[in-house]
Structures are given as structure tokens and as C-alpha cells.
Amino acid sequence: MTETDCIFCKIIQGEIPSTTVHDDELVTAFRDINPVAPTHILIVPKKHIEDNNAFEAGADDAVAARLFAVAKQLAQAEGIAESGYRLIMNCGSDGGQEIQHLHLHLIGGRKMQYPMG
Ligand code: AMP
Ligand code: ZN
């Protein structure tokens, strides 16, 4: 998938609406359209990185660090930092990745079991 037909690139460029909860120079975050828990936010690099395999060590280090920093910040803002939450990054077919633009799911607000199907 290229940037031109990528749903998340279109959201980043404002061509598709989303419920934005965070925006900075490296990442944006918006609510998942099909939430699986009371809090379900996708934290997305502005750079079109297809998946974890496409991460470039060195060049993308700041992006990786920011994804986790924003996850912590949003967990606090959502009031789930203490109760707990799950961070999920799916990669590839067996990982269940549907959108080929890397993203971190921040999921919380209910008790979850590990592993899941
Ligand atoms: P994944 O399977 O890890 O690639 O997750 C893709 C996620 O994107 C799913 O949880 C979808 O519900 C979500 N999603 C798909 N389209 C949109 C959209 N337009 N706005 C917000 N979330 C979306
Ligand atoms: Zn993209």
C-alpha cells in the first residue's frame, strides 16, 4: 500500500475525518472507529511506515519513542493509567494487521484477558 491510498495518511492530511485526541510534529492519535473497549485510541506516526518490519533503526528512533510517550500521556488523560491498559501493535497477516500504516492501539477501561484470539 502506498501513501496515496492509505487511510491513515488521509486522516493525517485531513482528507478523512477522525476524532483527534493528540497531534504533534511526529505522531497523531485518534479514536478507533470500531472500539473494543471504553478507551480505544490509535497512535500513528505521521510518516508512512508500513509496519514494525519497516521501522528504520536510527532514523525512526524518535518516532518510536514518541509513540510510547504519547501512549503514557493519553492513558493519564483518559483516566486509565492506574487501572491499566493494553498497548497492541499488529504486524502483518498473522498479526492481524488490517491497515498498512503502523499504529499503536491504546485500549483500556475494562478488564482484559491475555492472550486473545
Ligand atoms: P489493525 O488491525 O491493527 O491494522 O487495526 C486497524 C484499526 O483501524 C481497526 O481497529 C479499525 O477499527 C481502525 N480503523 C479503520 N478505519 C478507521 C478510521 N477511518 N478511523 C478510525 N479507526 C479506523
Ligand atoms: Zn499511510
Side-chain angles (χ1 to χ4, degrees), residues 6 9 48 101:
C6 171
C9 281
H48 181 84
H101 180 134

Side-chain angles (χ1 to χ4, degrees), residues 7-8 11 16-17 30-34 40 42 90 96-99 103 105:
I7 289 175
F8 286 179
I11 287 176
I16 293 177
F30 47 87
R31 295 197 188 277
D32 196 292
I33 204 167
N34 187 21
H40 189 168
L42 302 176
N90 298 323
Q97 184 178 7
E98 291 174 1
I99 308 275
H103 50 281
H105 296 250

Side-chain angles (χ1 to χ4, degrees), residues 86 88 90 93-98 110 112-117:
R86 184 169 284 176
I88 297 175
N90 298 323
S93 177
D94 280 3
Q97 184 178 7
E98 291 174 1
R110 70 169 172 84
M112 285 169 271
Q113 299 287 325
Y114 182 85
M116 49 193 200

Side-chain angles (χ1 to χ4, degrees), residues 25-89:
E25 81 282 12
L26 291 179
V27 308
T28 192
F30 47 87
R31 295 197 188 277
D32 196 292
I33 204 167
N34 187 21
V36 299
T39 292
H40 189 168
I41 292 169
L42 302 176
I43 307 167
V44 184
K46 287 191 168 171
K47 177 181 174 185
H48 181 84
I49 301 169
E50 291 215 351
D51 60 20
N52 196 54
N53 294 331
F55 248 123
E56 288 180 52
D60 294 328
D61 287 358
V63 172
R66 188 66 59 86
L67 290 173
F68 288 99
V70 170
K72 173 183 172 179
Q73 188 182 312
L74 288 173
Q76 288 167 340
E78 292 285 306
I80 58 170
E82 299 306 322
S83 53
Y85 53 89
R86 184 169 284 176
L87 296 174
I88 297 175
M89 183 181 288

